[in-house]
Amino acid sequence: MASSRTNYPHHLLLNFSLSSYLIFSSLCYCISVSDSKSDSFITIDSLRGSLEDQENFIVYSLIERARYPYNYPAYDPSYLGLKNYSLVEAFVRDTEAIEAKFGRYQNPEELPFFPDYKAFPLVPPFKFSQILYPPASSINVSRTIWDMYFNKLLPLIAIEGDDGNYQQSAASDLICLQALSKRIHYGRFVAEVKFRDAPSDYLSAIHAKDSETLTRLVTSKTVEETVIERVKKKAEVFGQNVTLREASKDGNETKYKVDPSVVSNLYGEWVIPLTKQVEVNYLLHRLD
């Protein structure tokens, strides 16, 4: 595939500041399973703690994207005169290529949306903890996440309009995409720990390639309901418009930057089901 740097005007895409993207994305402190000195420290509880921390960043990321209107030209390939790439896709491809040079995708928690970049790393390899089972570690639902975000989620958080801030919108989109991808693909780590804790619970279903049974085994309705309720509450708290005036007594509803029900539905309809899909697909390859 031809390089994404050769066919579109550089002044449109490369005259942007990655600093805002990098600064905002660094605001999230999430416990990294790859930070542990030994994979023996990884437990279901520690993974759930990390996933709970990631909820904060996902909610903040959605709020940040909601600052800008939809900005349709950023998603229209004809805007740049390209046959296949929109401004957003070109931005993501270029940014991922830059990040690959500096080692982002050495970390097994991070998966690019476009792994066909041609970038030689500038940093020496780092020896991350080998937690995942190699034949199953390549499980990837990035394309589904991409389609869900742009076709289902973005129209719900961005108002109609065009303010010309296409690069800022694209940078915010990428932050949201990477946060959602990391959270969903954590299902690989969750599945690995569940298997290690009780392999006998899964062996027969894995041998039989029984996806239905595996889905039932990795499902906890109580945990799922708690997560959905918690992210809705976080969206309410983080997304309120703060005022020093006394609360209105006329019964007007609180205004939110992102509708909390959109966030809870995102988790209930997409994040949790996709995470379980990753878990099941990982387990299906756990004995390869």
Side-chain angles (χ1 to χ4, degrees):
M1 178 177 291
S3 169
S4 61
R5 291 179 172 75
T6 58
N7 294 326
Y8 51 85
H10 286 282
H11 72 278
L12 286 175
L13 282 179
L14 298 184
N15 186 24
F16 61 75
S17 171
L18 279 175
S19 61
S20 60
Y21 159 74
L22 295 172
I23 291 171
F24 186 79
S25 63
S26 69
L27 293 177
C28 175
Y29 171 73
C30 296
I31 300 171
S32 171
V33 298
S34 299
D35 289 340
S36 300
K37 300 300 181 182
S38 169
D39 59 8
S40 62
F41 289 97
I42 304 302
T43 64
I44 287 296
D45 286 341
S46 67
L47 289 174
R48 285 175 177 164
S50 179
L51 293 174
E52 186 172 342
D53 288 340
Q54 290 179 47
E55 294 167 6
N56 302 342
F57 189 57
I58 289 173
V59 173
Y60 280 126
S61 299
L62 298 177
I63 292 172
E64 174 67 12
R65 179 58 184 88
R67 291 178 55 212
Y68 305 101
Y70 192 88
N71 284 333
Y72 176 78
Y75 310 97
D76 180 6
S78 67
Y79 176 69
L80 295 180
L82 303 177
K83 293 182 178 179
N84 299 314
Y85 293 173
S86 65
L87 184 151
V88 167
E89 182 170 336
F91 179 88
V92 172
R93 286 178 176 273
D94 270 13
T95 304
E96 288 188 340
I98 293 171
E99 292 178 331
K101 285 184 177 181
F102 292 93
R104 179 177 186 128
Y105 303 111
Q106 291 183 24
N107 186 333
E109 298 174 24
E110 303 285 354
L111 295 175
F113 284 88
F114 299 100
D116 56 347
Y117 52 77
K118 296 179 180 178
F120 296 97
L122 300 178
V123 298
F126 183 86
K127 189 176 181 180
F128 287 95
S129 298
Q130 182 63 52
I131 299 168
L132 300 176
Y133 182 65
S137 64
S138 61
I139 298 303
N140 189 315
V141 293
S142 294
R143 176 47 59 183
T144 302
I145 296 170
W146 179 278
D147 292 341
M148 175 275 293
Y149 177 81
F150 288 110
N151 296 329
K152 302 293 184 180
L153 180 59
L154 184 58
L156 297 177
I157 62 175
I159 63 172
E160 290 292 330
D162 181 354
D163 67 359
N165 288 308
Y166 305 144
Q167 182 275 322
Q168 295 90 327
S169 298
S172 294
D173 287 332
L174 179 53
I175 291 169
C176 292
L177 285 165
Q178 289 179 331
L180 289 167
S181 175
K182 183 173 183 177
R183 197 283 181 206
I184 289 167
H185 286 113
Y186 249 55
R188 297 172 300 159
F189 296 95
V190 173
E192 177 62 26
V193 172
K194 287 179 178 179
F195 179 82
R196 291 187 190 184
D197 286 348
S200 60
D201 291 350
Y202 301 94
L203 287 175
S204 61
I206 293 174
H207 283 301
K209 301 296 182 184
D210 187 347
S211 299
E212 185 176 341
T213 296
L214 289 173
T215 300
R216 178 176 53 80
L217 289 171
V218 302
T219 297
S220 172
K221 287 295 184 183
T222 300
V223 171
E224 291 177 8
E225 290 169 359
T226 298
V227 170
I228 292 170
E229 186 62 30
R230 186 172 61 229
V231 295
K232 183 178 182 180
K233 185 65 176 180
K234 288 181 177 182
E236 292 173 349
V237 173
F238 301 163
Q240 291 186 44
N241 289 309
V242 178
T243 177
L244 297 180
R245 297 192 301 272
E246 290 188 12
S248 174
K249 298 180 180 180
D250 59 6
N252 291 338
E253 294 184 0
T254 303
K255 300 294 185 181
Y256 299 107
K257 297 179 176 69
V258 172
D259 186 342
S261 67
V262 170
V263 180
S264 61
N265 289 339
L266 167 65
Y267 266 74
E269 297 177 14
W270 292 100
V271 172
I272 291 174
L274 283 175
T275 302
K276 291 198 294 186
Q277 179 182 325
V278 168
E279 289 185 53
V280 170
N281 288 340
Y282 181 94
L283 289 168
L284 287 171
H285 294 277
R286 186 54 181 79
L287 302 179
D288 290 357

